[in-house]
Amino acid sequence: DYEIWLVDLPGCGDSEAPKPSALEPDGYCPTAMGERAWQALGKCLATEGGAPPRQFTLVGHSLGGTVIIRMLSAPELQARYDAEQQRVERAVLFAPCDQAINVVPPSFLTLLGLQGWMITVGDVLGVFDGKVRDLTRRSYHDPEFATIERQERYAHALRHSEHREAAKAILRQFTPFDPKTVRPIWPKIDRLVADYKNIRVPVLIVHGTWDETLTSDMGHALKDHIPGAILVEVPGRSHSLPTEDPVKCSALIRRFQQGLASEALVVGLDADFFPTTAMFRANPHLTTTGVARAQNGATLSVAP
C-alpha cells in the first residue's frame, strides 16, 4: 500500500564510510547524518516530476530515531530544508536514543574499544564468526528472532576498517561527551534537548518494555519533551523491536499514518499507550492523563 524508501546513513550499510579524520569534527553526529538524509530525500523527491506533491512519514529505529529527531528539530536543518520538511506528515521512532543521557551504554563502550588487530586475531583463531553470532543473538530477548542477514551486517561493519571506524565515530558523536572522562557535556546536551520543541509534526514513539540497550524510560522522557508525542510500550520486546515483532510494528505505523486517535493505535495489539503530558507542565492546575491499555480488542477508559 505504500512506497518505501530505505536510507543507509553514512558509514552504514552500502553507503560510503569516509574517514572521520577527513570530515569536520562532528561529521558523524546526528545533525550531520540528518542533513545527509535530507539530501537523499531531496534527490528522491526531485524524481517525482510534475506529479502532485506527496506527504511522507519518517520512520527510524535506535540511532535512526535520534537522527530523525535532529532532522525535524535542528534550527539549521529547518532553515535549509524547509521545502522538504513541509512534505513530512508524521514521524515514528522505534526505541530512539534521547541525547540527554548521563551514561554511555556498556555495549557502546565495547565497540569503541575494538581494534583491527582483534578482528584479525579472531579470524586467525576461527572465533570471529562465532563471536558475531553470539552478539547478534544477544541483541534479542528471544534469540530465535535473530537472522543470518543481521549477523552478516554486523560482521561486515566490524571486519572492514572504514565501516568500523565510522561506527565508532557515530557512537562518539551521538551526544556530547568528554572523550577523556566519558562524562556528558550538559550545556551542549541541554541545547539539543531545547530543540525538541521545534518539532512540528505528530510523533509516535514505540519502545519494548524489555529493552536493555535504551530503556523505555527514554521513551517517556522524549514523549514529555516533544510537543504532542505519543508513547506506545510493547510488553516482552527488547531493543530489536522492529524485527522481533514486525507485524505489530507495521500495524502501529499504518494506524498512526492514518491519523487514528492514540487509544485506537493499540486496540487488539496488547500494548500500552501514554498520551503526551508536555502541555501539563505549562499549567500546573491541570491533571495528567493516566495510562490506557488495549488488549483483545477492548479499550480501557482513560481516567484523569
Side-chain angles (χ1 to χ4, degrees), residues 256-274:
F256 188 63
Q257 198 275 339
Q258 292 171 345
L260 298 185
S262 55
E263 62 270 17
L265 291 173
V266 296
V267 171
L269 295 183
D270 186 21
D272 302 321
F273 79 89
F274 300 79

Side-chain angles (χ1 to χ4, degrees), residues 76-107:
E76 61 270 36
L77 298 186
Q78 287 185 327
R80 287 199 287 269
Y81 300 96
D82 180 68
E84 289 82 1
Q85 294 213 18
Q86 295 297 328
R87 305 279 293 274
V88 178
E89 189 174 34
R90 299 173 187 277
V92 181
L93 315 177
F94 290 100
C97 183
D98 186 358
Q99 292 188 276
I101 65 173
N102 55 10
V103 177
V104 177
S107 56

Side-chain angles (χ1 to χ4, degrees), residues 6-280:
L6 302 177
V7 179
D8 278 344
L9 295 171
C12 306
D14 292 327
S15 288
E16 294 180 354
K19 288 184 178 182
S21 59
L23 302 175
E24 57 274 16
D26 58 354
Y28 277 108
C29 75
T31 306
M33 304 276 268
E35 179 144 32
R36 301 298 175 263
W38 277 129
Q39 291 168 349
L41 286 169
K43 294 288 186 180
C44 293
L45 294 172
T47 65
E48 293 186 324
R54 294 183 295 172
Q55 300 294 104
F56 58 89
T57 296
L58 295 172
V59 181
H61 170 243
S62 194
L63 173 69
T66 310
V67 170
I68 288 176
I69 290 173
R70 290 304 293 163
M71 289 173 69
L72 297 175
S73 67
E76 61 270 36
L77 298 186
Q78 287 185 327
R80 287 199 287 269
Y81 300 96
D82 180 68
E84 289 82 1
Q85 294 213 18
Q86 295 297 328
R87 305 279 293 274
V88 178
E89 189 174 34
R90 299 173 187 277
V92 181
L93 315 177
F94 290 100
C97 183
D98 186 358
Q99 292 188 276
I101 65 173
N102 55 10
V103 177
V104 177
S107 56
F108 289 14
L109 293 174
T110 300
L111 178 56
L112 288 173
L114 192 62
Q115 302 297 323
W117 65 266
M118 299 177 182
I119 307 295
T120 302
V121 170
D123 272 330
V124 171
L125 297 178
V127 300
F128 175 76
D129 289 333
K131 292 286 187 182
V132 175
R133 182 172 60 251
D134 291 343
L135 170 67
T136 306
R137 291 170 65 86
R138 284 200 305 271
S139 67
Y140 293 83
H141 178 74
D142 186 344
E144 294 304 313
F145 288 112
T147 65
I148 293 175
E149 290 80 6
R150 181 169 289 270
Q151 176 185 332
E152 290 174 344
R153 286 199 295 271
Y154 281 152
H156 177 272
L158 295 175
R159 184 173 273 122
H160 293 80
S161 61
E162 65 275 15
H163 283 276
R164 185 173 64 251
E165 293 308 309
K168 292 164 72 171
I170 290 170
L171 294 182
R172 290 192 191 99
Q173 298 175 26
F174 83 98
T175 201
F177 267 82
D178 186 306
K180 294 181 179 179
T181 63
V182 200
R183 293 184 60 191
I185 304 175
W186 286 113
K188 291 184 178 180
I189 290 175
D190 286 347
R191 288 194 289 271
L192 294 172
V193 173
D195 287 342
Y196 292 174
K197 69 180 183 299
N198 298 330
I199 297 178
R200 300 173 294 197
V201 300
V203 174
L204 173 65
I205 302 166
V206 187
H207 255 285
T209 58
W210 291 352
D211 192 332
E212 299 174 18
T213 304
L214 303 173
T215 67
S216 59
D217 290 345
M218 278 193 181
H220 285 274
L222 283 170
K223 182 260 297 181
D224 290 340
H225 281 94
I226 297 175
I230 298 169
L231 171 67
V232 168
E233 284 189 338
V234 182
R237 297 302 186 209
S238 55
H239 189 62
S240 298
L241 176 64
T243 47
E244 284 183 302
D245 209 330
V247 173
K248 190 171 293 184
C249 289
S250 60
L252 287 168
I253 295 172
R254 180 186 295 275
R255 293 178 182 187
F256 188 63
Q257 198 275 339
Q258 292 171 345
L260 298 185
S262 55
E263 62 270 17
L265 291 173
V266 296
V267 171
L269 295 183
D270 186 21
D272 302 321
F273 79 89
F274 300 79
T276 183
T277 57
M279 61 180 177
F280 297 109

